[in-house]
Amino acid sequence: MRILVVEDDLETAAYLKTSLAGTVQAVDCAHDGSAGWQLAQSGDYDLLVVDRMLPYIDGVSLVRQLRAEGKQTPVLMLSALGECDARVEGLEAGVDDYLGKPFALSELKARIGALARRLPALDANARLSVADLQLDRRTREASRAQQPIELQPREFRLLEYLMKQAGKVVTRAMLLEHVWEFHFDPQTSVVETHISRLRAKIDRGYAVPLLHTIRGTGYCLRAPD
C-alpha cells in the first residue's frame, strides 16, 4: 500500500511518515496543496492523508479537483476544525473519512486500515506488463519470460515508475523526484548506478533489450516494435 501524506507542518509530516513506514509499502510527503495535487495526479497512491488547512490549495479544494479529474483514490482528511459544517463540506467534496487533530496514532492506523479494506481485491493497475516483463505491485514480484527477478526496494520503485511510463522518455530529474523523492539534483550518480543495475537484471541474457538510454535526455522502457 502506498500512501501520500499532504501536510504543511514539517514535524507532523515527518512523524506520520516515520510512524506509517513500518506498516505500509511506501509513504511520500508533500508540504503544500499544490505539490500534493501534482503528486496525487500521478495515480500511484492507494490512499491520501490530507490536512485541511494547506498553503496554495487547501485540502478540500485539492480533493474537489482530484474528484473532478476522475481520481477516486480514498482520502482521509486531518483537521483541527471540528464543526459539523466543515466536515460536511469536506465529505461533499469527496473526502472519505475525517480525523480531528490532535489524534491518536492508533486511531489513524485503524482508519487507514478501514479505508484500505474498501479497496478492490484486484486493482486494475496491480499488475504491470511491458512485453514479457511483468511486475506485481501487490506481491512485489517481478519476472521476465516467467523467470523471477530479485529486486531491492529502490530497484522495485524504479522499475515500477519506468513501467508506468512505458513508451515515454523519463528524465533524470523525473526519476530523482518520483523514485528518490529529491526535489533537487544531489549531484551524484545514484540514478545512473541504479539504472545500470536494473538493466543488468531485466535485459542481460535476453536478445531484445527493453530499457534504453536516450542520449542527452533520459531513459525509456519500451516493448520492441
Side-chain angles (χ1 to χ4, degrees):
M1 186 178 185
R2 295 194 64 193
I3 292 179
L4 172 63
V5 173
V6 189
E7 169 62 68
D8 62 321
D9 184 89
L10 299 184
E11 290 187 8
T12 300
Y15 169 72
L16 290 173
K17 182 167 186 174
T18 301
S19 300
L20 296 174
T23 58
V24 300
Q25 175 183 328
V27 182
D28 294 338
C29 290
H31 302 301
D32 62 67
S34 179
W37 184 80
Q38 292 179 22
L39 284 176
Q41 279 287 92
S42 69
D44 294 344
Y45 299 99
D46 301 296
L47 179 72
L48 309 181
V49 178
V50 180
D51 187 35
R52 183 184 175 94
M53 305 299 291
L54 293 167
Y56 305 122
I57 303 175
D58 66 84
V60 172
S61 296
L62 186 156
V63 174
R64 190 176 286 117
Q65 289 183 29
L66 288 174
R67 298 300 187 239
E69 292 285 334
K71 301 292 184 183
Q72 298 303 318
T73 309
V75 176
L76 172 61
M77 181 157 284
L78 307 178
S79 177
L81 299 177
E83 295 86 353
C84 178
D85 289 347
R87 294 196 302 273
V88 169
E89 181 187 18
L91 293 169
E92 289 181 343
V95 172
D96 296 275
D97 195 7
Y98 250 95
L99 183 59
K101 291 183 175 182
F103 54 83
L105 181 61
S106 58
E107 183 177 3
L108 173 69
K109 289 184 175 181
R111 289 179 181 271
I112 287 175
L115 288 173
R117 287 192 292 273
R118 301 181 194 175
L119 297 173
L122 292 176
D123 189 330
N125 297 316
R127 183 176 291 274
L128 302 174
S129 301
V130 177
D132 57 353
L133 180 64
Q134 305 281 329
L135 184 142
D136 193 312
R137 298 175 63 208
R138 294 200 179 277
T139 64
R140 298 184 65 77
E141 295 175 340
S143 65
R144 182 167 182 189
Q146 300 183 340
Q147 297 301 309
I149 301 172
E150 295 295 328
L151 297 174
Q152 296 298 316
R154 191 69 66 178
E155 294 169 347
F156 184 93
R157 291 192 66 180
L158 176 58
L159 180 58
E160 178 186 31
Y161 183 73
L162 288 168
M163 292 183 77
K164 282 175 177 269
Q165 305 298 322
K168 302 176 183 177
V169 176
V170 298
T171 65
R172 186 174 186 275
M174 291 167 67
L175 293 175
L176 285 170
E177 179 176 354
H178 292 282
V179 178
W180 280 269
E181 302 171 32
F182 289 157
H183 299 284
F184 62 94
D185 190 337
Q187 301 299 317
T188 70
S189 60
V190 62
V191 172
E192 293 77 8
T193 298
H194 278 77
I195 286 286
S196 178
R197 291 175 182 170
L198 183 62
R199 178 179 280 125
K201 292 186 176 185
I202 68 173
D203 279 344
R204 183 175 294 169
Y206 294 94
V208 179
L210 300 178
L211 181 53
H212 304 270
T213 298
I214 311 301
R215 190 174 299 277
T217 306
Y219 306 94
C220 181
L221 185 75
R222 62 172 181 259
D225 296 332

